[in-house]
């Protein structure tokens, strides 16, 4: 009995001791919260009301110097206090821009899959005081999880690879050259950006917008100009969404009516083995010529190989549906967080948007002109419109080409012919990205 | 000013290199794909596994063909369903 008592008291003493030790540890470990708690004194109702008022969004928008800092997802050292414009008027402007994006996505149906998450991310990022784009905010977490480390773009590429059918390209390999010509937009924009006064490295990151390829743009911007990533990603995705607006006028201006009415021969039937081997061939070429592009092309080739192998339908199905959908949500919200006023409403953004537009237009034009040239010197007729699909916005620009083509001549379906340059454009811009990366290595 | 001019020249060099590599890559790709198409057409005549021309003596082969037919039917069914 005595022994039991002693044991119990010993146990009790130990328990109390450890508790005290833990408590003291806690106190020394995180002083700020405890001191804050101690500082709490009885407050009058008016004090409570005024303290609530100071945390409202209305106050944050009106009060110019409330000492709010910019939200850097990594807690980087370039975190600074917001200017009065960024913390007040800028936010209101950005929220209006977000509503315009909603309108474009819902009423005009411009790539709603991209614009809705991006715009909503932008809306969340512009809520004052919530700091959602910061290190511990939802958007900041998403951003750090997959955009800051270039992970999401690669997963998107995997999904695009699993969705892509290289059949049309294999049936008419020559059209791949058109996908190369459209990359002229990238390098033309590079020169343009340098003339406008951007540094070479920043200019290279911006110019990739000309490929009209969101994932590649994010990938490159991360490596070459991380501070401009937001504006570049937003520009790239906006132009991807605006493909049906920007491309048709350029296509019509550069072709004659007869050329637009050209009917192309249906491609030959492609052997299953050709499709199976193709991703490996592309990857081997990357291995030999440009390992810098390997992450992008590797993910793309993997997705395509899984699809064409025909034995892992479950995996390829996941890649082209569930996986890419999940990543699109995350990528959209993460990119949207860069629509915060302090990131987006800077002079550079204007420059980036303009250069991006020029890059994209030049790319389209170069593709169309190249297709005209090919039409002249090739024995098979080639409708120059398919050159516009050389920009890598898959499959949007191929659809646009088909639409313009059938407007000129009902029943002329160019979709399959345009898919060739379109998927070659994806490879082309990944190669161009690799070249730019290799220069700044 | 001199620096800026230099940058533009640099950018033009990038352009030449970049377009060169892109076209080189795609041209090689086109050639390889054409070659591959020829080789496959020669050694694996059109849709070899589907043609029922082969003698039906080999039972393992027969078995495989049955499995292939079942898979094809199932995928067809699934595709129609979705």
């Amino acid at each position: 009995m005595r022994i039991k008592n002693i044991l119990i008291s010993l146990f009790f003493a130990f328990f109390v001791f450890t508790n005290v030790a833990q408590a003291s540890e806690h106190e020394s470990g995180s002083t700020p919260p405890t001191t804050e708690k101690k500082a709490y004194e009885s407050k009058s109702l008016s004090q409570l009301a005024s303290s609530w008022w100071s945390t409202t969004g209305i106050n944050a928008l009106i009060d110019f110097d409330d000492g709010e800092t910019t939200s850097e997802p990594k807690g980087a050292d370039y975190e600074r206090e917001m200017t009065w414009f960024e913390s007040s008027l800028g936010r209101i402007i950005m929220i209006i821009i977000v509503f315009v994006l909603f309108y474009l996505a819902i009423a005009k149906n411009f790539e709603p899959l991209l614009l809705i998450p991006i715009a909503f991310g932008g809306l969340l990022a512009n809520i004052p005081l919530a700091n959602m784009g910061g290190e511990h905010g939802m958007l900041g977490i998403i951003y750090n999880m997959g955009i800051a480390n270039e992970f999401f773009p690669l997963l998107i590429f995997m999904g695009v690879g699993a969705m892509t059918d290289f059949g049309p390209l294999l049936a008419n390999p020559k059209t791949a050259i058109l996908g190369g010509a459209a990359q002229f937009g990238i390098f033309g924009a590079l020169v343009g950006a340098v003339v406008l006064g951007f540094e070479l490295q920043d200019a290279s990151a911006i110019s990739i917008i000309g490929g009209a390829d969101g994932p590649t743009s994010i990938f490159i911007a991360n490596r070459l100009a991380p501070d401009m990533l937001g504006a570049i990603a937003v520009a790239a995705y906006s132009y991807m969404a605006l493909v049906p607006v920007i491309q048709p006028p350029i296509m019509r201006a550069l072709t004659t009516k007869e050329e637009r009415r050209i009917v192309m021969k249906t491609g030959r039937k492609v052997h299953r083995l050709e499709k199976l081997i193709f991703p490996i061939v592309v990857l081997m070429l990357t291995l030999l010529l440009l390992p810098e592009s390997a992450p992008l092309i590797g993910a793309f080739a993997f997705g395509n190989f899984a699809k064409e192998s025909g034995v892992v339908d479950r995996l390829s199905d996941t890649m082209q549906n569930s996986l890419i959908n999940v990543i699109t949500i995350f990528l959209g919200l993460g990119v949207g967080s860069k629509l915060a006023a302090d990131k987006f409403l800077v002079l550079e953004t204007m420059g980036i948007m303009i250069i991006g537009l020029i890059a994209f237009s030049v790319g389209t034009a170069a593709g169309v002109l190249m297709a005209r040239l090919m039409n002249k010197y090739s024995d098979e007729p080639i409708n120059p419109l398919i050159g516009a699909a050389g920009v890598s916005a898959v499959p949007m620009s191929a659809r646009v080409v088909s639409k313009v083509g059938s407007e000129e001549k009902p029943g002329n379906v160019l979709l399959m012919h345009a898919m060739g340059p379109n998927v070659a454009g994806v490879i082309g811009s990944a190669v161009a990205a690799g070249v730019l990366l290799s220069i700044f290595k | 000013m001199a620096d800026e001019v230099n940058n533009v020249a640099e950018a033009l060099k990038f352009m030449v290199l970049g377009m060169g590599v892109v076209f080189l890559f795609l041209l090689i790709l086109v050639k390889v794909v054409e070659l591959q198409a020829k080789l496959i057409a020669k050694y694996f005549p059109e849709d070899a596994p589907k043609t029922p021309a082969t003698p039906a003596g080999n039972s393992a082969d027969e078995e495989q063909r049955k499995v292939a037919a079942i898979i094809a039917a199932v995928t067809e069914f699934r595709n129609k369903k979705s």
Side-chain angles (χ1 to χ4, degrees):
Chain A
M1 200 61 194
R2 266 184 77 104
I3 296 170
K4 200 183 176 187
N5 267 348
I6 289 171
L7 268 180
I8 289 173
S9 56
L10 259 181
F11 179 75
F12 191 68
F14 179 73
F15 185 72
V16 168
F17 176 76
T18 48
N19 251 10
V20 168
Q22 266 179 355
S24 65
E25 213 173 276
H26 188 76
E27 222 162 302
S28 62
S30 54
T31 25
T34 43
T35 48
E36 205 174 280
K37 264 185 189 164
K38 271 178 194 164
Y40 183 79
E41 285 158 16
S42 163
K43 285 179 187 164
S44 69
L45 202 58
S46 66
Q47 274 174 319
L48 284 173
S50 78
S51 82
W52 167 74
W53 169 249
S54 70
T55 63
T56 57
I58 305 168
N59 180 58
L61 288 177
I62 298 171
D63 188 5
F64 293 155
D65 37 35
D66 47 2
E68 240 191 295
T69 52
T70 57
S71 53
E72 307 297 344
K74 274 183 178 160
D77 46 359
Y78 45 85
E79 183 167 324
R80 58 184 167 80
E81 233 172 72
M82 284 193 189
T83 61
W84 71 267
F85 176 76
E86 285 167 354
S87 70
S88 54
L89 190 62
R91 289 201 154 121
I92 297 169
I93 295 175
M94 286 317 294
I95 289 174
I96 293 169
I97 291 179
V98 162
F99 285 132
V100 173
L101 293 180
F102 282 151
Y103 170 77
L104 289 178
I106 297 166
K108 298 276 176 187
N109 212 18
F110 287 163
E111 292 273 344
L113 287 175
L114 294 172
L115 278 187
I116 294 278
I118 289 177
F120 212 91
L123 190 56
L124 294 179
N126 279 298
I127 296 174
L129 302 174
N131 201 16
M132 293 191 72
E135 201 181 356
H136 301 293
M138 178 178 98
L139 300 177
I141 293 170
I142 291 174
Y143 188 86
N144 283 340
M145 190 166 72
I147 299 183
N149 55 18
E150 304 153 16
F151 185 46
F152 288 164
L154 297 179
L155 289 180
I156 294 274
F157 248 63
M158 212 184 271
V160 173
M163 284 197 265
T164 302
D165 178 10
F166 280 107
L169 181 68
L170 291 166
N172 198 355
K174 263 179 278 171
T175 55
I177 302 301
L178 299 173
Q183 308 312 319
F184 191 73
I186 291 180
F187 295 100
L190 173 59
V191 178
V194 169
V195 171
L196 276 185
F198 282 96
E199 287 294 311
L200 272 175
Q201 200 159 333
D202 295 346
S204 305
I206 298 166
S207 63
I208 287 286
I209 301 170
D213 195 335
T216 312
S217 304
I218 292 177
F219 188 80
I220 297 300
N222 254 321
R223 296 275 184 97
L224 298 181
D227 49 321
M228 287 195 215
L229 174 60
I232 290 174
V234 171
Y237 277 107
S238 341
Y239 292 133
M240 272 173 90
L242 290 176
V243 163
V245 183
I246 300 171
Q247 282 202 319
I250 301 171
M251 286 152 70
R252 290 201 190 95
L254 290 176
T255 49
T256 62
K257 200 167 175 63
E258 292 77 56
E259 280 173 329
R260 287 197 294 273
R261 296 172 68 99
I262 292 175
V263 181
M264 290 178 70
K265 272 192 223 159
T266 20
R268 67 180 172 88
K269 202 170 174 300
V270 176
H271 197 286
R272 186 174 160 259
L273 263 181
E274 285 180 64
K275 287 189 186 178
L276 181 63
I277 296 172
F278 185 75
I280 304 293
V281 168
V282 176
L283 202 54
M284 287 299 134
L285 273 178
T286 314
L287 180 150
L288 294 174
L289 294 179
L290 207 64
E292 283 292 334
S293 298
L296 289 166
I297 294 186
F300 191 72
F302 170 59
N304 193 251
F305 191 68
K307 175 191 178 228
E308 299 298 350
S309 72
V311 288
V312 285
D313 283 346
R314 279 163 49 185
L315 303 190
S316 91
D317 185 55
T318 303
M319 277 187 251
Q320 48 184 302
N321 295 301
S322 343
L323 183 66
I324 204 167
N325 289 347
V326 170
I327 299 303
T328 305
I329 294 172
F330 285 160
L331 194 72
L333 287 174
V335 169
S337 75
K338 294 291 159 186
L339 281 174
D342 54 285
K343 304 282 183 310
F344 195 78
L345 289 180
V346 288
L347 205 61
E348 276 176 352
T349 309
M350 281 306 283
I352 291 171
M353 294 301 275
I354 293 169
I355 295 166
L357 180 63
I358 296 170
F360 187 55
S361 312
V362 171
T364 306
V368 172
L369 291 177
M370 185 77 184
R372 272 186 91 165
L373 202 70
M374 276 178 77
N375 182 39
K376 257 184 202 154
Y377 294 103
S378 152
D379 0 308
E380 284 175 35
I382 291 172
N383 190 317
L385 289 178
I386 67 166
V391 299
S392 50
V394 176
M396 190 53 131
S397 54
R399 275 194 218 135
V400 169
V401 167
S402 194
K403 192 164 163 271
V404 175
S406 61
E407 271 168 18
E408 292 294 335
K409 187 180 173 118
N412 188 9
V413 183
L414 293 172
L415 185 65
M416 270 309 164
H417 301 289
M419 279 312 281
N422 212 178
V423 295
V426 178
I427 297 172
S429 49
V431 171
V435 173
L436 290 175
L437 282 181
S438 71
I439 290 172
F440 292 106
K441 209 177 177 195
Chain B
M1 196 62 207
D3 201 33
E4 192 185 321
V5 171
N6 193 11
N7 267 353
V8 173
E10 238 16 62
L12 285 171
K13 279 185 243 167
F14 288 5
M15 183 195 261
V16 173
L17 175 75
M19 288 311 286
V21 174
V22 169
F23 273 120
L24 179 72
F25 191 98
L26 289 173
L27 277 174
I28 296 178
L29 189 65
V30 169
K31 289 296 156 205
V32 172
V33 163
E34 280 171 356
L35 181 72
Q36 173 198 323
K38 265 182 210 156
L39 285 179
I40 287 174
K42 191 172 170 192
Y43 293 107
F44 303 90
E46 194 58 27
D47 291 318
K50 274 183 199 165
T51 44
T54 44
N58 196 335
S59 67
D61 196 38
E62 188 69 11
E63 197 66 19
Q64 270 187 352
R65 231 181 290 149
K66 268 185 199 164
V67 171
I70 292 168
I71 290 172
V74 168
T75 40
E76 184 70 26
F77 175 70
R78 280 197 188 145
N79 285 347
K80 267 184 192 162
K81 222 167 71 171
S82 61

